[in-house]
Amino acid sequence: MGRTYIVEETVGQYLSNINLEGKSFVSGLLIGQCSSQKDYVILATRTPPKEEQNENLKHPKAKLDTLDEEWATEHARQVSRMLPGGLVVLGIFIITTLELADDFQNALRRLIFSVEKSMNRKRLWNVTEEEVSERVILHICSSTKKLSCRTYDVCDPKSSSRPADWKYQNRVSTSWLSLECTIHVNIHIPLSATSVSYTLEKNTKSGLTRWAKQIDNGVYLINGQVKGEDCDLLEGQKKSRGNTQATAHSFDVRVLTQLLLNSDHRSTATVQICSGSVNLRGNVKCRAYIHSNRPKVKDAVQAVKRDILNTVADRCEILFEDLLLNEIPEKKNYELPQRVFVPLPGSAIMLCDYKLADESAEEIRDHFSEMLDREIQIEDLEIAEEVNTACVTSSLKSEVSPTDTGDEQPEQPNKTTIGMKIQQNIGAIAALTLAVLAAGVSFHYFSD
């Protein structure tokens, strides 16, 4: 028996309203949450067409093999930034006028693996053995209305497809539980001077990996209490009698990280010649969501942990993409992206995005609309944090020049597209990605 997908009815309405407009197919992403028993799909969003695709609509007989894997993968990477803790890209959908040929099914299989690989590349956390690793491909034939739902195990490159159940249900996420957390971060990372090949990227990623372990090993207080990981998150919560839809709950989460090792642990000191250091300090605003069907404490804590780590990496990446893409003149202080939340209609969930200093509310609204194919009202935008700055020394530019990282990167979407503002030299971004937090960064270089 394959997996079961419980799907919000509005997702079905969205998919049925998609107009092929003369194209042979339309594809997009399925977003939701995994659980041990079943998966929940709460949102679908079509991949925006390339500008040249818009210009070529006069040639409607494009073949199905024109599925652009790089473009679809980039869309998934961008959308994954907009998901709070607990939400993931569960898979992809495709709507066609004809039944799928075997070669195109193989293309979809490659795409689902490519999407997962892209999102795994810069994570500060590892997938656990207990987690669900199946991702779904939903195919809908617009002429016959036939629906096919199959899954692949993305942790197994040799996996074959398995059938899955696709069941619509009303108000899937209206009673989901929210968890909010603000964590202060203060990290000191030395920059090695003994090896030319030991780049700023390796230094900062190594330092943040150590910090990620602290986050992973921290003690999480939920509404001021420590609960066993296998306990029911809603244990002790009152439910309305006769109401199957429980009232939405919000939990305050606080993180306690270990400062000193216990006396029975041995520690060693390492002497290292350094050319400088990176000091990371700031406050990170986090939110996570979890289904209300007998949720476990460990699942809630995991969702919060991953939102902490994801939002750190994402906003750093966005800042440096903007600096390199727009060739901003070198200066000492930069305003870091602010996290912006917006409600998902008909749901208790809020999605997020990041606002750069020079971006207007209208641009953020347009970015939401392009990435998620939803109309957003400006008055619904909620800026979660105060403006913070990144303090950068003038030596940063020479220290981290654009270089080849050794990994061939795909061609990125056109930079004039608001939602796909990605610069082409991804090597430079990789070297800078993990060097800034939500609240600020300062680089201190030692003299000889």
Side-chain angles (χ1 to χ4, degrees):
M1 183 66 181
R3 292 194 64 77
T4 297
Y5 288 86
I6 305 300
V7 188
E8 178 66 60
E9 283 187 351
T10 55
V11 171
Q13 295 170 3
Y14 172 82
L15 295 175
S16 63
N17 290 335
I18 290 180
N19 189 345
L20 295 182
E21 298 175 343
K23 297 186 288 291
S24 57
F25 72 93
V26 168
S27 64
L29 306 174
L30 299 169
I31 297 164
Q33 185 170 103
C34 296
S35 72
S36 58
Q37 301 296 325
K38 61 189 72 173
D39 293 348
Y40 302 89
V41 181
I42 64 169
L43 183 66
T45 176
R46 64 188 296 173
T47 297
K50 279 186 174 181
E51 291 185 355
E52 56 265 34
Q53 290 175 345
N54 287 329
E55 295 173 359
N56 292 334
L57 286 180
K58 57 186 179 182
H59 304 292
K61 299 300 182 181
K63 296 181 180 180
L64 286 177
D65 58 11
T66 58
L67 177 66
D68 193 326
E69 180 179 319
E70 294 178 4
W71 183 264
T73 300
E74 178 61 27
H75 179 228
R77 189 180 73 89
Q78 296 250 342
V79 168
S80 67
R81 292 173 173 175
M82 309 175 78
L83 305 181
L87 296 187
V88 295
V89 175
L90 290 174
I92 58 177
F93 72 83
I94 185 163
I95 302 174
T96 66
T97 55
L98 303 172
E99 295 294 330
L100 290 182
D102 290 340
D103 57 343
F104 195 67
Q105 289 178 347
N106 293 332
L108 290 175
R109 185 184 186 279
R110 290 194 303 270
L111 175 59
I112 200 76
F113 278 85
S114 176
V115 166
E116 191 69 17
K117 181 179 179 180
S118 173
M119 291 185 290
N120 282 342
R121 185 174 291 119
K122 293 177 182 179
R123 284 174 177 165
L124 294 177
W125 47 269
N126 297 318
V127 176
T128 65
E129 294 182 356
E130 298 178 352
E131 287 187 68
V132 176
S133 57
E134 291 185 69
R135 295 296 181 261
V136 63
I137 296 178
L138 177 72
H139 170 238
I140 300 175
C141 179
S142 62
S143 57
T144 64
K145 306 301 179 182
K146 181 181 177 181
L147 184 148
S148 172
C149 182
R150 307 190 72 84
T151 63
Y152 291 90
D153 184 349
V154 292
C155 289
D156 180 9
K158 297 181 180 179
S159 70
S160 57
S161 65
R162 298 180 60 192
D165 290 333
W166 186 265
K167 298 180 179 180
Y168 288 109
Q169 183 176 311
N170 192 25
R171 299 170 61 86
V172 170
S173 60
T174 53
S175 61
W176 279 21
L177 315 174
S178 66
L179 304 106
E180 299 191 13
C181 172
T182 300
I183 183 170
H184 178 73
V185 179
N186 189 355
I187 309 171
H188 178 80
I189 304 173
L191 303 178
S192 174
T194 58
S195 175
V196 176
S197 63
Y198 205 63
T199 62
L200 176 61
E201 175 195 7
K202 292 182 180 179
N203 277 286
T204 53
K205 188 169 185 179
S206 176
L208 285 176
T209 300
R210 292 192 296 270
W211 166 74
K213 291 180 179 178
Q214 286 185 311
I215 297 299
D216 188 54
N217 296 328
V219 176
Y220 286 74
L221 304 180
I222 299 178
N223 287 345
Q225 297 180 338
V226 178
K227 296 185 177 183
E229 63 176 18
D230 290 323
C231 292
D232 191 330
L233 182 63
L234 290 173
E235 185 177 0
Q237 300 285 335
K238 294 182 179 180
K239 296 183 179 180
S240 300
R241 181 175 298 179
N243 185 5
T244 57
Q245 295 290 338
T247 304
H249 292 284
S250 178
F251 295 87
D252 175 69
V253 180
R254 298 191 179 186
V255 185
L256 305 179
T257 55
Q258 192 175 25
L259 297 179
L260 298 174
L261 293 174
N262 296 329
S263 58
D264 57 346
H265 284 75
R266 294 178 59 86
S267 63
T268 58
T270 302
V271 178
Q272 183 178 4
I273 300 175
C274 299
S275 61
S277 66
V278 179
N279 292 319
L280 308 178
R281 293 185 297 269
N283 294 317
V284 179
K285 181 72 173 181
C286 304
R287 286 181 183 172
Y289 298 89
I290 189 169
H291 63 84
S292 55
N293 183 20
R294 307 180 75 175
K296 298 293 185 182
V297 169
K298 62 181 179 182
D299 297 326
V301 170
Q302 178 177 275
V304 173
K305 286 180 182 179
R306 293 185 175 177
D307 193 59
I308 294 172
L309 301 177
N310 289 344
T311 189
V312 169
D314 289 343
R315 70 183 76 206
C316 298
E317 192 174 52
I318 291 169
L319 172 66
F320 286 105
E321 284 172 0
D322 184 63
L323 295 180
L324 294 171
L325 174 64
N326 296 305
E327 299 180 354
I328 297 175
E330 182 181 349
K331 58 182 180 179
K332 185 176 181 180
N333 295 308
Y334 300 95
E335 290 187 2
L336 293 162
Q338 295 174 283
R339 200 171 194 184
V340 181
F341 289 95
V342 66
L344 180 64
S347 170
I349 292 171
M350 299 190 78
L351 304 175
C352 71
D353 201 359
Y354 296 92
K355 179 183 180 298
L356 292 163
D358 59 349
E359 285 186 312
S360 65
E362 288 77 10
E363 288 176 297
I364 297 299
R365 177 198 60 194
D366 293 344
H367 186 237
F368 268 111
S369 298
E370 183 172 17
M371 291 294 97
L372 301 178
D373 199 23
R374 296 291 189 282
E375 292 299 325
I376 302 297
Q377 301 300 319
I378 291 180
E379 54 268 24
D380 291 334
L381 299 177
E382 175 191 330
I383 298 179
E385 300 158 338
E386 298 295 329
V387 173
N388 297 292
T389 59
C391 181
V392 184
T393 64
S394 59
S395 57
L396 174 64
K397 186 174 182 180
S398 60
E399 178 73 18
V400 192
S401 58
T403 57
D404 184 11
T405 62
D407 294 329
E408 184 178 353
Q409 300 294 336
E411 180 183 355
Q412 303 295 345
N414 193 303
K415 66 180 182 180
T416 59
T417 304
I418 294 176
M420 298 290 188
K421 295 193 303 182
I422 305 298
Q423 60 88 30
Q424 294 181 354
N425 192 341
I426 199 72
I429 293 177
L432 293 167
T433 286
L434 297 175
V436 184
L437 285 187
V441 164
S442 60
F443 289 80
H444 302 285
Y445 288 86
F446 302 130
S447 61
D448 294 335

